Each structure stands twice: as C-alpha cells, then as structure tokens.
Amino acid sequence: MQEQQEKLTNKPRRCRVLGPVAYEYTAANTGSWRLERPDVDFSACIKCGTCEKYCPTNVITIKKDQKKCVEIDFNYCKGCGICANECPKKCIKMVPERSEG
Ligand code: SF4
Ligand code: SF4
C-alpha cells in the first residue's frame, strides 16, 4: 500500500500508512502554517526554562551558556504564543511572520 500511495502521489513519503484511513505522520514542516512567530529579547531573559516547559510542540531549547539562550526550531513552531504568554519576564513577543522582528 505504501508503494502504491507513493506512485499515485509521486511525492516523497512523509507518513507511514497503517491502513486505508490511518496514517502515522513522521515529518512535516508545520512551521509554514504560522502567522506569527516568537521574538525573544535575550537581554531580558533569565534562562528560567518556562517557555521550554510550556511549548506544546517541544521546539524550544534553552542554551544557558549562550547569549542567544532561547533556541526555537522554526520548522515546527506553530506560532501559538503560549511561550510569550507564560514567560515570567515577558521578554517574548509575538511578531507577524513576515516582519523583520
Ligand atoms: S509560539 Fe508556540 S510552538 Fe512556537 S515556540 Fe512558542 S510555544 Fe512553542
Ligand atoms: S520563559 Fe522567558 S525568561 Fe524564561 S527562558 Fe523563556 S524567554 Fe527566558
């Protein structure tokens, strides 16, 4: 069934077919869905890790030894704004996706 699907769509496989109506998605660049993205003021960040803890897609990594201490994987960040909402220092703001930030 997997080969059949690939022949029909002529696209690289991004999910595993489990049955006629069941798919297990393994990779997709969901960041393209985003309308807004988080912009971090690194000078105000206290590296507490709250944003990392609350991010529902688990795309934030805190790098305590670096100046840009909050690393966000924008391939998968959905722009939900939870990190900005939960940050105790309010040093994350949501900006329109296509702005300079
Ligand atoms: S906007 Fe949402 S998905 Fe993106 S880093 Fe913040 S909490 Fe995670
Ligand atoms: S929640 Fe705010 S202060 Fe804490 S690590 Fe994230 S950006 Fe920095």
Side-chain angles (χ1 to χ4, degrees):
M1 184 179 279
Q2 191 75 59
E3 291 89 39
Q4 213 174 16
Q5 185 202 29
E6 284 180 34
K7 273 182 199 161
L8 283 172
T9 60
N10 198 25
K11 285 181 181 167
R13 181 176 43 188
R14 294 192 178 205
C15 62
R16 192 161 66 97
V17 178
L18 301 174
V21 291
Y23 297 87
E24 180 183 75
Y25 287 91
T26 52
N29 186 336
T30 52
S32 61
W33 303 349
R34 200 172 49 238
L35 297 176
E36 290 185 317
R37 66 185 150 87
D39 184 46
V40 182
D41 176 0
F42 296 108
S43 65
C45 173
I46 56 170
K47 306 175 185 179
C48 65
T50 304
C51 53
E52 181 183 40
K53 184 176 160 193
Y54 278 90
C55 174
T57 46
N58 199 23
V59 297
I60 299 178
T61 307
I62 304 299
K63 303 209 162 173
K64 291 195 175 187
D65 56 334
Q66 293 181 20
K67 193 167 178 249
K68 291 190 172 185
C69 50
V70 180
E71 188 179 272
I72 300 171
D73 184 346
F74 284 106
N75 285 329
Y76 299 100
C77 164
K78 292 181 178 59
C80 65
I82 291 173
C83 54
N85 201 47
E86 296 298 332
C87 173
K89 298 299 285 181
K90 296 296 169 207
C91 60
I92 304 178
K93 67 175 180 182
M94 299 304 289
V95 297
E97 177 57 37
R98 284 172 183 79
S99 81
E100 292 299 311

